């Protein structure tokens, strides 16, 4: 299930702190004293790295209770705190004024509370109606947290930040954070760090603590990067960057500090990625040389000739199979570019030399669809294909498992049921993972481990921006399918406000009467899947009034059999309108469908809209896509819709998407367990990536195990250890 989009463009989640760092593998840690920690004093002659392992309770003002609050943020040592970067900064010298607020933007302003009223409403809840003034105007703000009452007493100066919204035609602020104005900070005119908080912690107190740690410890840190790299990339020195990231002297220094620490993150990840690459490049694998004759015969039995791009990729895969190291390839293709048939050819190739292949798809619907596509073609060519999902009957399942074990089954298509312990292959040579972003890394890894030095082919649902490929798939070889099969027409894409839904339904009625087939997509919005399903259910019932029995419904909470039945009815044309949640987002292939209506299009990301739109335009007929949105649209949503209307090149859309959202959102890093960055933002720091990659390559060339003194310093880099682990998992695709 895709994550609902965060309200502030994902910045927060990307910058989320993700656990201990410095304590992972310290260089020469001092032996710990038996009697527990005592407060540190500035004069203590300590190893700066070891000192950072001290618990937070050594700081004045942090008792065991507060330490528990910090634990909830994943912070337990001084080092953790030193690397707990601010979520954002307020520049007190450059705050917004009320008369300059603009709809849709994030703002922070200093204002005086001129009035505060408490309102009770149903359920015995209270809200606070606050009037703020700043000499340029007034703004009404509603606060739903009654505990803010203390802070919001009339006459007090506060700093409020949040998103500018509108209510009844007037601008207002949806408050996210309130703070009492700290006059001292105001007077220094400084850039003030704002940290992520949790219950029990306050901005002001946390600032005091980070100030203690940053002032004393930051500049005492040894730089983990070799001096020549620091100077080649013109980086700020490490200690200085750590100090500036918390309390920047000015905006230039802040940018330099972010730049430096982002480089460290990219560098650390590249060490992991490139070591991984070296690792598989030295793993021996049995070369599989595929004779031409069998493949040619198979190709000629396909209902269409391959596109040039498909042919090229098949060639690349054959070369990988014939190599004496395992294949580790990422196949990127635009929606509808025909990845499935490439996968099938790869599977046929290994069968040709007597070995087995497995194709894993993220959903039941997709696995079944692949099976139905592949099975007749493969049977024709004398291969035996089986389907393995979580839903098979016991007897069927037993037969499949036995067939795989005995080697009677040549190709198995399935869901993550394929990676269960009791699935064993006689001789698995090729693992193909379709729509990889839907899988957890562990599941992907597990499929590759069902055989010896298995060749791995990973396919993406939509193209991934280049910088992200280098970052997260930097250890893999990449093939791109940019070309689409001939005869495809551009999909006519239009946007309309939800108020015009009746017109859309009327248009749909005319199209349906002349035999068209259409998807109607309802978004996943609430955290709660039941609520989302209820929304789709409502739309289904509503459309039934217009289309009667010609409407079907499919969503993620239906039983497998019901889902199949709904898909099948739509495939056969028994239903002509299919109301669906985003379960149809990836892969579903019904070439006769020519219309897709996407409700609440503003809630989807660009890549996701492109992917959904790719459900139509799969045949020779002209298709259309209608984006129903709820206004008013924010800037990002507007940009997304206009780019989508203008382009249907998934590779270009992917780059645009990266600019509009962060990489965390694109890759769904949170679901898949990929490491997120704290600072590095590939839409900004993409250039650093190339530099980091070159430097890492040079370092590994002479010291692959990182055992030299320099190498050991590098190991200390932020996150390195966690990254190394994560990348190992990535390797499975
Ligand atoms: P995707 O890359 O999105 O997974 P599919 O593999 O589902 O795309 O293919 C999309 C559609 O294009 C399918 O209906 C498939 O049969 C068809 N197709 C694939 N390759 C070709 C080709 N070379 N010529 C014509 N149609 C093709
Ligand atoms: Mg596909």
């Amino acid at each position: 299930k895709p994550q609902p989009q965060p309200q502030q463009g994902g910045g927060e989640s990307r910058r989320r702190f993700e656990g201990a760092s410095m304590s992972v593998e310290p260089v020469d840690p001092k032996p710990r004293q038996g009697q527990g920690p005592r407060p540190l004093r500035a004069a203590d002659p300590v190893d700066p790295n070891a000192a950072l392992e001290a618990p937070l309770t050594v700081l004045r003002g942090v008792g065991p209770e507060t330490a528990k609050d910090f634990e909830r943020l994943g912070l337990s040592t001084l080092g953790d705190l030193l690397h707990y970067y601010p979520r954002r900064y307020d520049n007190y010298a450059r705050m917004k004024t009320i008369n300059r607020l603009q709809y849709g933007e994030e703002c922070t302003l200093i204002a005086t509370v001129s009035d505060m009223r408490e309102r009770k409403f149903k359920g015995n809840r209270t809200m606070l109606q606050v009037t703020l003034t700043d000499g340029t105007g007034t703004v009404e703000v509603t606060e739903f947290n009654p505990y803010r009452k203390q802070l919001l007493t009339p006459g007090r100066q506060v700093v409020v930040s949040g998103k500018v919204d509108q209510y009844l035609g007037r601008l207002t602020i949806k408050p996210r954070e309130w703070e009492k104005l700290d006059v001292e900070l105001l007077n220094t005119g400084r850039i003030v760090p704002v940290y992520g908080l949790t219950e029990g912690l306050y901005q002001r107190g946390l600032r005091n603590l980070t100030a203690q740690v940053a002032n004393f410890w930051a500049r005492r840190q040894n730089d983990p990067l070799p001096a020549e790299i620091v100077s080649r990339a013109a980086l700020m020195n490490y200690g200085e960057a750590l100090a500036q990231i918390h309390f920047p002297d000015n905006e230039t220094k802040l940018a330099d500090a972010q730049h430096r620490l982002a480089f460290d993150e990219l560098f650390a990840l590249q060490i992991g990625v490139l070591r991984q690459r070296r690792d598989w490049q030295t793993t021996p694998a049995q070369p599989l040389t595929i004779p031409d004759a069998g493949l040619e015969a198979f190709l000629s039995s396909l209902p269409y000739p391959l596109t040039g791009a498909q042919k090229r990729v098949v060639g690349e895969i054959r070369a990988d199979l014939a190599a004496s190291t395992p294949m580790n390839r990422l196949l990127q293709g635009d929606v509808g570019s025909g990845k499935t048939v490439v996968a099938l050819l790869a599977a046929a190739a290994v069968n040709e030399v007597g070995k087995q292949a497995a194709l894993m798809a993220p959903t039941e619907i997709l696995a079944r669809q692949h099976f139905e596509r592949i099975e007749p073609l493969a049977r024709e060519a004398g291969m035996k294909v089986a389907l393995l999902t979580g839903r098979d009957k016991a007897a069927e399942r037993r037969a499949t498992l036995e067939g795989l074990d005995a080697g009677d089954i040549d190709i198995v298509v399935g869901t993550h049921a394929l990676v269960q312990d009791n699935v064993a292959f006689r001789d698995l040579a090729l693992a193909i993972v379709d729509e990889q972003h839907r899988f957890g890394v562990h599941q992907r890894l597990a499929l590759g481990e069902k055989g010896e030095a298995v060749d791995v082919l990973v396919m993406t649902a939509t193209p991934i921006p280049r910088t992200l490929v280098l970052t997260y798939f930097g250890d893999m070889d990449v093939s791109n399918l940019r070309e689409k099969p001939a005869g495809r027409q551009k999909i006519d894409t239009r946007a309309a406000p939800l108020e015009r839904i009746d017109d859309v339904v009327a248009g749909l009625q005319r199209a349906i009467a002349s035999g068209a087939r259409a998807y109607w997509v309802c978004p996943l919005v609430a955290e709660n899947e039941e609520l989302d399903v209820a929304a789709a259910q409502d739309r289904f019932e509503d459309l039934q009034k217009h289309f009667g029995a010609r409407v079907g419904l499919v969503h993620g909470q239906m039983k497998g059999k019901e889902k199949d039945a709904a898909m099948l009815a739509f495939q056969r044309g028994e239903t002509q309108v299919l109301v669906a949640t985003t379960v149809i987002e990836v892969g579903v292939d019904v070439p006769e469908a020519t219309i897709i209506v996407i409700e609440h299009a503003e809630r989807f990301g660009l890549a996701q809209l492109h992917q959904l739109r790719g459900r139509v335009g799969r045949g020779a007929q002209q298709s259309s896509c209608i984006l129903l949105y709820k206004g008013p649209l924010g800037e990002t949503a507007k940009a997304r819709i206009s780019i989508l209307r203008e382009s249907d090149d998934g590779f270009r859309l992917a780059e645009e998407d990266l600019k509009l959202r962060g990489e965390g959102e694109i890759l769904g890093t949170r679901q898949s367990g990929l490491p997120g960055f704290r600072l590095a933002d590939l839409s900004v720091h993409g250039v650093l990536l190339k530099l980091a990659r070159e430097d890492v390559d040079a370092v590994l060339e002479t010291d692959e195990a990182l055992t030299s003194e320099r190498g050991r310093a590098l190991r200390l880099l932020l996150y390195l250890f966690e990254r190394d682990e994560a990348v190992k998992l990535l390797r499975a695709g």
Side-chain angles (χ1 to χ4, degrees):
K1 165 179 169 168
Q3 294 284 317
Q5 287 182 33
Q7 304 226 313
Q8 302 102 33
E12 235 168 287
S13 58
R14 257 180 298 143
R15 256 140 243 188
R16 198 172 44 126
F17 187 73
E18 303 204 333
S21 54
M22 302 304 281
S23 57
V24 170
E25 196 178 346
V27 170
D28 298 328
K30 289 260 141 115
R32 302 234 191 198
Q33 318 251 280
Q35 60 276 65
R38 66 169 173 79
L40 293 163
R41 285 180 215 104
D44 280 354
V46 282
D47 177 328
N49 292 321
L52 290 181
E53 283 193 79
L56 286 172
T57 44
V58 302
L59 294 171
R60 220 186 308 153
V62 183
E65 281 307 308
T66 313
K68 268 191 209 138
D69 295 333
F70 275 110
E71 283 289 340
R72 264 183 277 129
L73 291 174
L75 307 179
S76 54
T77 66
L78 295 188
D80 294 342
L81 192 60
L82 187 57
H83 290 281
Y84 189 56
Y85 306 147
R87 200 156 45 96
R88 62 179 175 83
Y89 301 83
D90 285 340
N91 189 341
Y92 278 23
R94 285 213 217 163
M95 288 276 191
K96 271 273 166 183
T97 50
I98 291 174
N99 62 343
R100 285 174 38 222
L101 295 179
Q102 278 182 14
Y103 174 73
E105 73 179 0
E106 287 292 326
C107 77
T108 300
L109 56 92
I110 299 175
T112 304
V113 178
S114 64
D115 189 30
M116 195 268 297
R117 279 153 295 148
E118 248 182 299
R119 291 246 178 96
K120 302 254 182 237
F121 59 107
K122 61 175 183 255
N124 201 20
R125 296 209 291 157
T126 310
M127 66 181 197
L128 307 173
Q129 194 71 48
V130 188
T131 310
L132 299 174
T133 60
D134 72 348
T136 71
T138 60
V139 61
E140 296 277 336
V141 178
T142 306
E143 170 58 62
F144 289 93
N145 179 352
Y147 295 105
R148 298 266 187 257
K149 195 176 149 187
Q150 291 280 346
L151 178 70
L152 298 175
T153 45
R156 175 168 281 165
Q157 281 193 294
V158 293
V159 182
V160 58
S161 52
K163 192 164 183 166
V164 182
D165 203 353
Q166 64 175 19
Y167 181 66
L168 301 177
R170 291 231 217 134
L171 290 185
T172 174
I173 299 172
K174 254 189 181 158
R176 195 155 27 87
E177 280 177 57
W178 295 95
E179 218 189 311
K180 201 162 105 181
L181 179 67
D182 187 332
V183 181
E184 222 174 285
L185 289 173
L186 180 64
N187 292 342
T188 57
R190 283 195 75 122
I191 301 176
V192 178
V194 180
Y195 296 94
L197 296 175
T198 181
E199 215 178 305
L201 297 180
Y202 299 92
Q203 208 54 258
R204 204 179 175 153
L206 187 49
R207 259 178 220 143
N208 278 331
L209 295 176
T210 52
Q212 281 182 54
V213 176
N215 288 342
F216 185 70
W217 294 107
R219 292 192 178 81
R220 283 175 171 75
Q221 296 302 300
N222 298 321
D223 200 321
L225 286 183
E228 63 278 14
I229 291 181
V230 174
S231 71
R232 185 173 99 101
L235 298 174
M236 180 181 259
N237 113 11
Y238 184 61
E240 183 65 20
L242 283 175
Q244 295 287 343
I245 200 82
H246 289 286
F247 293 94
D249 289 341
N250 53 50
E251 282 173 1
T252 320
K253 289 249 167 84
L254 173 58
D256 287 349
Q258 287 172 326
H259 191 78
R260 159 66 209 242
L261 297 171
F263 184 87
D264 288 4
E265 286 187 284
L266 296 171
F267 194 92
L269 182 63
Q270 286 303 311
I271 290 182
V273 164
L274 293 177
R275 284 183 74 194
Q276 209 52 60
R277 188 176 172 87
R278 279 163 186 268
D279 185 43
W280 69 257
Q281 281 181 335
T282 51
T283 307
Q286 196 190 340
L288 305 178
T289 316
I290 319 297
D292 285 331
L295 267 190
E296 295 295 338
F298 189 68
L299 273 177
S300 58
S301 71
L302 289 178
Y304 41 71
L306 293 189
T307 63
Q310 283 170 326
K311 277 189 203 141
R312 200 191 59 232
V313 174
V314 170
E316 287 166 350
I317 292 172
R318 281 179 72 185
D320 285 352
L321 294 173
S324 53
T325 56
M327 166 161 79
N328 188 14
R329 183 168 291 279
L330 174 72
L331 171 54
Q332 295 214 85
D334 206 346
V335 219
S337 60
K339 292 180 289 286
T340 317
V341 68
V342 172
L344 173 59
L345 276 158
V350 302
N351 288 163
E352 197 66 24
V353 291
K355 302 196 177 269
Q356 293 169 298
L359 168 59
M360 182 162 76
T363 64
E364 190 86 44
I365 290 179
L366 268 185
R368 196 160 292 271
Q369 178 185 290
H370 279 322
F371 176 74
E372 279 155 13
R373 286 283 137 73
I374 286 174
E375 205 277 333
L377 293 169
R379 181 163 19 102
E380 185 98 335
M383 291 179 272
K384 187 159 163 40
V385 187
L387 178 68
L388 187 73
T389 72
R391 271 170 44 203
D392 309 322
K393 293 201 188 76
E396 262 172 68
R397 183 180 174 75
R398 208 172 319 116
T400 305
L401 292 180
E402 281 170 14
L404 285 173
D405 200 22
D408 301 337
I409 295 171
D410 302 303
I411 303 175
V412 64
V413 179
T415 57
H416 54 265
L418 285 174
V419 300
Q420 280 160 359
D421 284 342
N422 57 0
V423 181
F425 291 81
R426 201 181 91 106
D427 194 359
L428 179 69
L430 175 65
I432 305 170
V433 182
D434 191 21
E435 319 293 14
Q436 55 77 30
H437 73 293
R438 288 292 189 95
F439 285 104
V441 269
H442 291 278
Q443 291 167 334
R444 286 186 258 150
L445 180 74
L447 188 61
E449 291 192 337
K450 297 267 176 197
E452 288 286 313
V454 170
D455 288 306
V456 174
L457 179 67
V458 168
M459 307 197 286
T460 60
T462 35
I464 300 172
R466 237 192 41 230
T467 47
L468 289 196
V469 171
L470 279 183
T471 309
Y472 291 101
F473 302 94
D475 63 326
M476 308 184 88
D477 294 317
V478 180
S479 294
N480 291 327
L481 276 181
R482 274 196 98 128
E483 188 186 339
K484 289 181 195 168
R488 299 280 168 83
Q489 299 187 32
K490 190 161 188 252
I491 300 163
D492 179 30
T493 303
R494 292 166 191 221
L498 263 174
E499 290 78 41
R500 289 194 36 212
I501 194 165
D502 290 341
D503 297 345
V504 171
V505 171
L508 199 56
Q509 241 159 348
R510 287 190 294 275
I512 294 302
S514 60
R517 262 178 258 175
Y519 295 102
W520 187 294
V521 183
C522 301
L524 295 172
V525 235
E527 299 284 302
N528 178 340
E529 199 175 337
E530 322 250 311
L531 285 182
D532 292 327
V533 165
Q537 186 79 41
D538 285 350
R539 179 59 65 215
F540 170 65
E541 282 162 21
D542 184 52
L543 290 176
Q544 267 182 329
K545 288 181 200 137
H546 301 274
F547 301 102
R550 280 176 298 172
V551 199
L553 172 67
V554 62
H555 60 69
Q557 293 213 326
M558 280 163 65
K559 290 216 182 71
K561 279 212 175 109
E562 296 169 338
K563 255 192 266 182
D564 291 349
M567 286 308 301
L568 196 65
F570 186 65
Q571 257 160 25
R572 290 188 177 150
E574 293 157 13
T575 55
Q576 286 174 271
V577 180
L578 184 63
V579 178
T581 54
T582 44
V583 290
I584 63 143
E585 176 193 339
V586 290
V588 168
D589 184 31
V590 179
E592 296 83 1
T594 53
I595 301 171
I596 185 163
V597 179
I598 304 173
E599 205 175 318
H600 280 295
E602 78 283 356
R603 291 177 181 163
F604 292 100
L606 190 51
Q608 214 180 0
L609 288 172
H610 177 60
Q611 180 65 232
L612 284 168
R613 180 173 62 175
R615 293 314 105 212
V616 299
R618 304 194 138 233
Q621 270 173 295
Q622 172 67 52
S623 294
S624 52
C625 168
I626 298 149
L627 306 168
L628 279 178
Y629 64 84
K630 180 155 168 27
L633 290 177
E635 286 306 314
T636 312
K638 257 188 222 158
R640 228 183 261 146
I641 288 178
S642 83
I643 295 165
L644 200 70
R645 292 200 51 185
E646 167 192 321
S647 173
D648 64 349
D649 174 0
F651 284 82
R652 186 187 148 208
L653 292 173
E655 300 292 340
E656 298 290 340
D657 203 20
L658 177 59
K659 285 184 212 149
L660 294 175
R661 309 189 295 161
E663 67 270 8
E665 289 301 311
I666 292 181
L667 288 174
T669 46
R670 268 172 298 166
Q671 297 107 292
S672 59
L674 291 169
F677 289 120
R678 274 191 262 172
L679 268 179
D681 176 346
L682 292 169
S683 55
V684 180
H685 300 119
V687 274
L688 283 180
L689 186 66
K690 186 166 160 274
L691 224 48
R693 206 171 156 87
E694 286 165 9
D695 285 336
V696 169
D697 230 359
V699 169
L700 293 181
E701 198 54 49
T702 56
D703 180 19
E704 182 165 359
L706 298 182
T707 44
S708 68
E709 199 175 315
R710 199 170 109 165
R712 277 150 48 92
L714 282 175
R715 285 174 175 235
L716 237 184
L717 265 184
L718 252 104
Y719 281 131
L720 173 55
F721 207 72
E722 288 161 77
R723 299 252 145 159
D724 219 7
E725 276 305 306
V727 168
K728 254 181 217 136
L729 295 174
L730 274 177
R731 184 191 165 204

